[in-house]
Short mmCIF file of all heavy atoms in Angstrom, two decimals:
data_model
loop_
_atom_site.label_atom_id
_atom_site.label_comp_id
_atom_site.label_asym_id
_atom_site.label_seq_id
_atom_site.Cartn_x
_atom_site.Cartn_y
_atom_site.Cartn_z
N LEU A 455 -6.30 -6.34 -18.59
CA LEU A 455 -7.56 -6.78 -17.96
C LEU A 455 -7.82 -5.94 -16.74
O LEU A 455 -7.09 -6.02 -15.71
CB LEU A 455 -7.40 -8.21 -17.57
CG LEU A 455 -8.58 -8.90 -16.95
CD1 LEU A 455 -9.80 -8.89 -17.86
CD2 LEU A 455 -8.32 -10.43 -16.64
N LYS A 456 -8.87 -5.13 -16.80
CA LYS A 456 -9.20 -4.27 -15.68
C LYS A 456 -10.72 -4.13 -15.64
O LYS A 456 -11.38 -4.21 -16.59
CB LYS A 456 -8.64 -2.87 -15.85
CG LYS A 456 -7.10 -2.75 -15.57
CD LYS A 456 -6.79 -1.27 -15.45
CE LYS A 456 -5.30 -1.07 -15.12
NZ LYS A 456 -4.41 -1.49 -16.17
N ALA A 457 -11.22 -3.90 -14.43
CA ALA A 457 -12.69 -3.69 -14.28
C ALA A 457 -12.92 -2.33 -13.62
O ALA A 457 -12.15 -1.89 -12.78
CB ALA A 457 -13.22 -4.78 -13.36
N TYR A 458 -13.92 -1.66 -14.02
CA TYR A 458 -14.28 -0.33 -13.58
C TYR A 458 -15.79 -0.21 -13.25
O TYR A 458 -16.62 -0.87 -13.84
CB TYR A 458 -14.04 0.70 -14.62
CG TYR A 458 -12.65 0.67 -15.23
CD1 TYR A 458 -12.45 -0.18 -16.32
CD2 TYR A 458 -11.70 1.39 -14.74
CE1 TYR A 458 -11.19 -0.28 -16.92
CE2 TYR A 458 -10.40 1.38 -15.38
CZ TYR A 458 -10.22 0.60 -16.45
OH TYR A 458 -8.96 0.52 -17.05
N ARG A 459 -16.10 0.63 -12.23
CA ARG A 459 -17.47 1.05 -12.15
C ARG A 459 -17.80 1.93 -13.32
O ARG A 459 -16.92 2.77 -13.75
CB ARG A 459 -17.66 1.79 -10.82
CG ARG A 459 -18.91 1.34 -10.13
CD ARG A 459 -18.79 1.31 -8.57
NE ARG A 459 -17.95 2.33 -8.05
CZ ARG A 459 -18.27 3.61 -7.89
NH1 ARG A 459 -19.44 4.02 -8.35
NH2 ARG A 459 -17.47 4.44 -7.27
N LEU A 460 -19.01 1.91 -13.84
CA LEU A 460 -19.34 2.63 -15.11
C LEU A 460 -19.04 4.16 -14.98
O LEU A 460 -18.44 4.69 -15.84
CB LEU A 460 -20.84 2.47 -15.43
CG LEU A 460 -21.31 3.16 -16.72
CD1 LEU A 460 -20.67 2.50 -17.90
CD2 LEU A 460 -22.84 3.04 -16.86
N GLU A 461 -19.31 4.66 -13.77
CA GLU A 461 -19.08 6.07 -13.50
C GLU A 461 -17.59 6.49 -13.75
O GLU A 461 -17.30 7.56 -14.25
CB GLU A 461 -19.53 6.35 -12.10
CG GLU A 461 -19.53 7.84 -11.75
CD GLU A 461 -19.60 8.04 -10.19
OE1 GLU A 461 -19.91 7.05 -9.54
OE2 GLU A 461 -19.41 9.22 -9.81
N VAL A 462 -16.67 5.51 -13.44
CA VAL A 462 -15.29 5.84 -13.56
C VAL A 462 -14.93 6.07 -15.08
O VAL A 462 -14.31 7.11 -15.36
CB VAL A 462 -14.43 4.73 -13.02
CG1 VAL A 462 -12.91 4.97 -13.16
CG2 VAL A 462 -14.71 4.54 -11.49
N VAL A 463 -15.28 5.10 -15.90
CA VAL A 463 -14.91 5.31 -17.31
C VAL A 463 -15.62 6.43 -18.02
O VAL A 463 -15.16 6.96 -19.00
CB VAL A 463 -15.16 3.95 -18.14
CG1 VAL A 463 -14.39 2.85 -17.49
CG2 VAL A 463 -16.61 3.62 -18.26
N LYS A 464 -16.77 6.84 -17.48
CA LYS A 464 -17.46 7.97 -18.06
C LYS A 464 -16.85 9.27 -17.60
O LYS A 464 -17.14 10.36 -18.06
CB LYS A 464 -18.95 8.01 -17.69
CG LYS A 464 -19.70 6.75 -18.19
CD LYS A 464 -19.87 6.77 -19.64
CE LYS A 464 -20.76 5.54 -20.12
NZ LYS A 464 -20.75 5.40 -21.57
N SER A 465 -16.01 9.24 -16.53
CA SER A 465 -15.51 10.51 -15.98
C SER A 465 -14.05 10.80 -16.30
O SER A 465 -13.61 11.91 -16.09
CB SER A 465 -15.58 10.44 -14.43
OG SER A 465 -16.73 9.84 -13.96
N ILE A 466 -13.33 9.85 -16.86
CA ILE A 466 -11.94 10.12 -17.18
C ILE A 466 -11.78 10.16 -18.67
O ILE A 466 -12.50 9.57 -19.42
CB ILE A 466 -11.01 9.09 -16.55
CG1 ILE A 466 -11.40 7.68 -17.02
CG2 ILE A 466 -10.98 9.19 -15.06
CD1 ILE A 466 -10.46 6.59 -16.61
N GLU A 467 -10.73 10.87 -19.13
CA GLU A 467 -10.44 10.92 -20.53
C GLU A 467 -9.06 10.45 -20.85
O GLU A 467 -8.10 11.06 -20.30
CB GLU A 467 -10.67 12.36 -21.00
CG GLU A 467 -10.77 12.44 -22.52
CD GLU A 467 -11.11 13.73 -23.04
OE1 GLU A 467 -11.30 14.68 -22.28
OE2 GLU A 467 -11.09 13.86 -24.28
N ILE A 468 -8.98 9.40 -21.64
CA ILE A 468 -7.63 8.95 -21.98
C ILE A 468 -7.42 9.20 -23.43
O ILE A 468 -8.33 9.24 -24.27
CB ILE A 468 -7.48 7.45 -21.70
CG1 ILE A 468 -8.63 6.64 -22.27
CG2 ILE A 468 -7.35 7.20 -20.27
CD1 ILE A 468 -8.34 5.16 -22.26
N PHE A 469 -6.20 9.48 -23.77
CA PHE A 469 -5.83 9.76 -25.18
C PHE A 469 -4.31 9.39 -25.32
O PHE A 469 -3.66 9.12 -24.39
CB PHE A 469 -6.12 11.18 -25.62
CG PHE A 469 -5.52 12.17 -24.65
CD1 PHE A 469 -4.16 12.63 -24.91
CD2 PHE A 469 -6.17 12.65 -23.55
CE1 PHE A 469 -3.63 13.55 -24.06
CE2 PHE A 469 -5.67 13.61 -22.69
CZ PHE A 469 -4.33 14.05 -22.94
N GLY A 470 -3.82 9.54 -26.58
CA GLY A 470 -2.43 9.22 -26.78
C GLY A 470 -2.11 7.79 -26.40
O GLY A 470 -2.83 6.88 -26.83
N GLU A 471 -1.14 7.64 -25.52
CA GLU A 471 -0.80 6.31 -25.05
C GLU A 471 -1.16 6.10 -23.63
O GLU A 471 -0.57 5.31 -22.92
CB GLU A 471 0.66 6.04 -25.28
CG GLU A 471 1.20 6.32 -26.61
CD GLU A 471 1.53 5.08 -27.40
OE1 GLU A 471 2.13 4.18 -26.74
OE2 GLU A 471 1.25 4.97 -28.58
N MET A 472 -2.13 6.83 -23.20
CA MET A 472 -2.38 6.91 -21.72
C MET A 472 -3.16 5.79 -21.10
O MET A 472 -3.53 5.81 -19.98
CB MET A 472 -2.96 8.28 -21.38
CG MET A 472 -2.12 9.40 -21.85
SD MET A 472 -2.06 10.72 -20.79
CE MET A 472 -0.82 11.75 -21.60
N HIS A 473 -3.48 4.75 -21.97
CA HIS A 473 -4.13 3.64 -21.41
C HIS A 473 -3.36 2.97 -20.31
O HIS A 473 -3.92 2.26 -19.47
CB HIS A 473 -4.45 2.62 -22.52
CG HIS A 473 -3.21 2.16 -23.27
ND1 HIS A 473 -2.73 2.92 -24.33
CD2 HIS A 473 -2.34 1.23 -23.08
CE1 HIS A 473 -1.60 2.36 -24.75
NE2 HIS A 473 -1.36 1.26 -24.00
N ARG A 474 -2.08 3.28 -20.24
CA ARG A 474 -1.26 2.68 -19.19
C ARG A 474 -1.47 3.34 -17.86
O ARG A 474 -1.08 2.82 -16.81
CB ARG A 474 0.21 2.83 -19.51
CG ARG A 474 0.60 2.15 -20.80
CD ARG A 474 2.12 2.11 -20.99
NE ARG A 474 2.44 1.49 -22.28
CZ ARG A 474 2.65 2.24 -23.37
NH1 ARG A 474 2.60 3.55 -23.33
NH2 ARG A 474 2.88 1.68 -24.56
N TYR A 475 -2.12 4.44 -17.81
CA TYR A 475 -2.20 5.31 -16.60
C TYR A 475 -3.55 5.49 -16.09
O TYR A 475 -3.81 6.45 -15.34
CB TYR A 475 -1.49 6.58 -16.76
CG TYR A 475 -0.02 6.34 -17.25
CD1 TYR A 475 0.29 6.46 -18.55
CD2 TYR A 475 0.89 5.90 -16.32
CE1 TYR A 475 1.58 6.27 -18.98
CE2 TYR A 475 2.19 5.64 -16.78
CZ TYR A 475 2.49 5.85 -18.10
OH TYR A 475 3.79 5.56 -18.50
N ILE A 476 -4.54 4.74 -16.48
CA ILE A 476 -5.92 4.98 -16.12
C ILE A 476 -6.08 4.98 -14.60
O ILE A 476 -6.79 5.87 -14.10
CB ILE A 476 -6.85 3.87 -16.76
CG1 ILE A 476 -6.73 3.98 -18.30
CG2 ILE A 476 -8.28 4.13 -16.37
CD1 ILE A 476 -7.64 2.99 -19.04
N PRO A 477 -5.39 4.09 -13.82
CA PRO A 477 -5.60 4.18 -12.42
C PRO A 477 -5.18 5.57 -11.81
O PRO A 477 -5.85 6.11 -10.97
CB PRO A 477 -4.64 3.12 -11.82
CG PRO A 477 -4.53 2.10 -12.93
CD PRO A 477 -4.58 2.94 -14.22
N MET A 478 -4.15 6.15 -12.36
CA MET A 478 -3.72 7.47 -11.89
C MET A 478 -4.73 8.52 -12.27
O MET A 478 -5.07 9.37 -11.42
CB MET A 478 -2.38 7.93 -12.49
CG MET A 478 -1.27 7.08 -12.00
SD MET A 478 0.09 7.24 -13.08
CE MET A 478 0.95 5.76 -12.62
N LEU A 479 -5.24 8.51 -13.43
CA LEU A 479 -6.22 9.49 -13.86
C LEU A 479 -7.51 9.31 -13.01
O LEU A 479 -8.12 10.28 -12.56
CB LEU A 479 -6.64 9.33 -15.34
CG LEU A 479 -5.50 9.61 -16.33
CD1 LEU A 479 -5.87 9.23 -17.67
CD2 LEU A 479 -5.14 11.08 -16.21
N ALA A 480 -7.85 8.04 -12.69
CA ALA A 480 -9.05 7.86 -11.93
C ALA A 480 -8.81 8.34 -10.44
O ALA A 480 -9.69 8.96 -9.86
CB ALA A 480 -9.35 6.35 -11.85
N LYS A 481 -7.61 8.13 -9.94
CA LYS A 481 -7.35 8.58 -8.60
C LYS A 481 -7.49 10.05 -8.51
O LYS A 481 -8.03 10.67 -7.66
CB LYS A 481 -6.01 8.12 -8.14
CG LYS A 481 -5.63 8.45 -6.75
CD LYS A 481 -4.28 8.09 -6.31
CE LYS A 481 -4.02 8.66 -4.91
NZ LYS A 481 -2.55 8.81 -4.66
N GLU A 482 -6.84 10.74 -9.55
CA GLU A 482 -6.94 12.20 -9.63
C GLU A 482 -8.38 12.68 -9.70
O GLU A 482 -8.71 13.72 -9.16
CB GLU A 482 -6.11 12.59 -10.84
CG GLU A 482 -6.41 13.91 -11.47
CD GLU A 482 -5.96 15.06 -10.59
OE1 GLU A 482 -5.30 14.80 -9.60
OE2 GLU A 482 -6.28 16.22 -10.87
N ALA A 483 -9.22 11.94 -10.38
CA ALA A 483 -10.60 12.31 -10.50
C ALA A 483 -11.44 12.13 -9.21
O ALA A 483 -12.53 12.58 -9.07
CB ALA A 483 -11.30 11.60 -11.66
N GLY A 484 -10.82 11.39 -8.25
CA GLY A 484 -11.48 11.24 -7.00
C GLY A 484 -11.98 9.85 -6.68
O GLY A 484 -12.65 9.53 -5.77
N PHE A 485 -11.61 8.84 -7.58
CA PHE A 485 -11.96 7.48 -7.31
C PHE A 485 -10.79 6.78 -6.59
O PHE A 485 -9.78 6.46 -7.16
CB PHE A 485 -12.23 6.73 -8.63
CG PHE A 485 -13.41 7.37 -9.37
CD1 PHE A 485 -13.20 8.16 -10.46
CD2 PHE A 485 -14.69 7.17 -8.91
CE1 PHE A 485 -14.30 8.73 -11.10
CE2 PHE A 485 -15.80 7.73 -9.59
CZ PHE A 485 -15.55 8.51 -10.70
N ARG A 486 -11.01 6.56 -5.35
CA ARG A 486 -9.85 6.18 -4.46
C ARG A 486 -9.70 4.70 -4.22
O ARG A 486 -8.70 4.20 -3.82
CB ARG A 486 -9.95 6.92 -3.14
CG ARG A 486 -9.75 8.41 -3.30
CD ARG A 486 -8.26 8.66 -3.55
NE ARG A 486 -8.01 9.93 -4.30
CZ ARG A 486 -7.95 11.13 -3.71
NH1 ARG A 486 -8.12 11.27 -2.47
NH2 ARG A 486 -7.73 12.24 -4.52
N LYS A 487 -10.81 4.01 -4.39
CA LYS A 487 -10.80 2.62 -3.97
C LYS A 487 -10.33 1.77 -5.14
O LYS A 487 -11.12 1.32 -6.00
CB LYS A 487 -12.17 2.10 -3.44
CG LYS A 487 -12.02 0.83 -2.73
CD LYS A 487 -13.09 0.53 -1.70
CE LYS A 487 -12.80 -0.81 -1.02
NZ LYS A 487 -13.78 -1.59 -0.55
N ILE A 488 -9.00 1.56 -5.18
CA ILE A 488 -8.41 0.88 -6.34
C ILE A 488 -7.76 -0.46 -5.87
O ILE A 488 -6.98 -0.45 -4.98
CB ILE A 488 -7.32 1.75 -6.97
CG1 ILE A 488 -7.94 3.08 -7.47
CG2 ILE A 488 -6.63 1.00 -8.09
CD1 ILE A 488 -6.94 4.08 -8.00
N GLY A 489 -8.30 -1.50 -6.44
CA GLY A 489 -7.84 -2.80 -5.94
C GLY A 489 -7.15 -3.60 -7.05
O GLY A 489 -6.91 -3.15 -8.17
N GLU A 490 -6.74 -4.74 -6.61
CA GLU A 490 -5.86 -5.56 -7.50
C GLU A 490 -6.28 -7.02 -7.40
O GLU A 490 -6.66 -7.51 -6.34
CB GLU A 490 -4.40 -5.42 -7.08
CG GLU A 490 -3.40 -6.03 -7.96
CD GLU A 490 -2.05 -5.49 -7.54
OE1 GLU A 490 -1.64 -5.59 -6.44
OE2 GLU A 490 -1.42 -5.01 -8.46
N LYS A 491 -6.25 -7.77 -8.48
CA LYS A 491 -6.51 -9.16 -8.38
C LYS A 491 -5.51 -9.93 -9.22
O LYS A 491 -5.25 -9.53 -10.41
CB LYS A 491 -7.95 -9.42 -8.96
CG LYS A 491 -8.28 -10.86 -9.03
CD LYS A 491 -9.69 -11.09 -9.69
CE LYS A 491 -10.02 -12.54 -9.59
NZ LYS A 491 -9.03 -13.49 -10.15
N VAL A 492 -4.95 -10.94 -8.70
CA VAL A 492 -4.02 -11.77 -9.49
C VAL A 492 -4.74 -12.44 -10.57
O VAL A 492 -5.75 -13.08 -10.30
CB VAL A 492 -3.31 -12.82 -8.53
CG1 VAL A 492 -2.40 -13.66 -9.35
CG2 VAL A 492 -2.49 -12.06 -7.50
N VAL A 493 -4.28 -12.27 -11.81
CA VAL A 493 -5.01 -12.95 -12.87
C VAL A 493 -4.08 -13.90 -13.66
O VAL A 493 -2.84 -13.70 -13.64
CB VAL A 493 -5.61 -11.93 -13.89
CG1 VAL A 493 -6.65 -11.09 -13.25
CG2 VAL A 493 -4.47 -11.02 -14.46
N GLU A 494 -4.66 -14.77 -14.30
CA GLU A 494 -3.89 -15.74 -15.07
C GLU A 494 -3.47 -15.04 -16.42
O GLU A 494 -4.26 -14.34 -17.01
CB GLU A 494 -4.81 -16.95 -15.46
CG GLU A 494 -4.06 -18.08 -16.12
CD GLU A 494 -5.03 -18.92 -16.96
OE1 GLU A 494 -6.17 -18.86 -16.75
OE2 GLU A 494 -4.50 -19.69 -17.80
N HIS A 495 -2.25 -15.25 -16.73
CA HIS A 495 -1.78 -14.64 -18.02
C HIS A 495 -1.37 -15.78 -18.92
O HIS A 495 -0.86 -16.82 -18.47
CB HIS A 495 -0.56 -13.71 -17.69
CG HIS A 495 -0.09 -12.94 -18.89
ND1 HIS A 495 1.22 -13.02 -19.36
CD2 HIS A 495 -0.76 -12.11 -19.71
CE1 HIS A 495 1.37 -12.20 -20.35
NE2 HIS A 495 0.17 -11.62 -20.66
N ARG A 496 -1.59 -15.65 -20.15
CA ARG A 496 -1.31 -16.71 -21.10
C ARG A 496 -0.42 -16.18 -22.19
O ARG A 496 -0.43 -15.00 -22.45
CB ARG A 496 -2.56 -17.31 -21.69
CG ARG A 496 -3.48 -17.86 -20.59
CD ARG A 496 -4.95 -17.53 -20.77
NE ARG A 496 -5.41 -17.64 -22.12
CZ ARG A 496 -5.87 -18.85 -22.58
NH1 ARG A 496 -6.03 -19.88 -21.84
NH2 ARG A 496 -6.26 -18.91 -23.90
#
Side-chain angles (χ1 to χ4, degrees):
L455 181 59
K456 285 193 176 64
Y458 309 85
R459 227 145 32 74
L460 183 65
E461 191 192 346
V462 177
V463 301
K464 299 287 183 191
S465 318
I466 56 175
E467 193 173 357
I468 50 169
F469 53 89
E471 305 253 319
M472 303 217 174
H473 54 275
R474 300 190 184 93
Y475 304 101
I476 301 181
M478 292 163 199
L479 295 173
K481 185 184 173 204
E482 157 71 7
F485 299 102
R486 292 286 153 83
K487 194 155 183 211
I488 299 175
E490 186 166 57
K491 176 183 185 308
V492 175
V493 294
E494 185 203 347
H495 187 235
R496 298 136 47 88

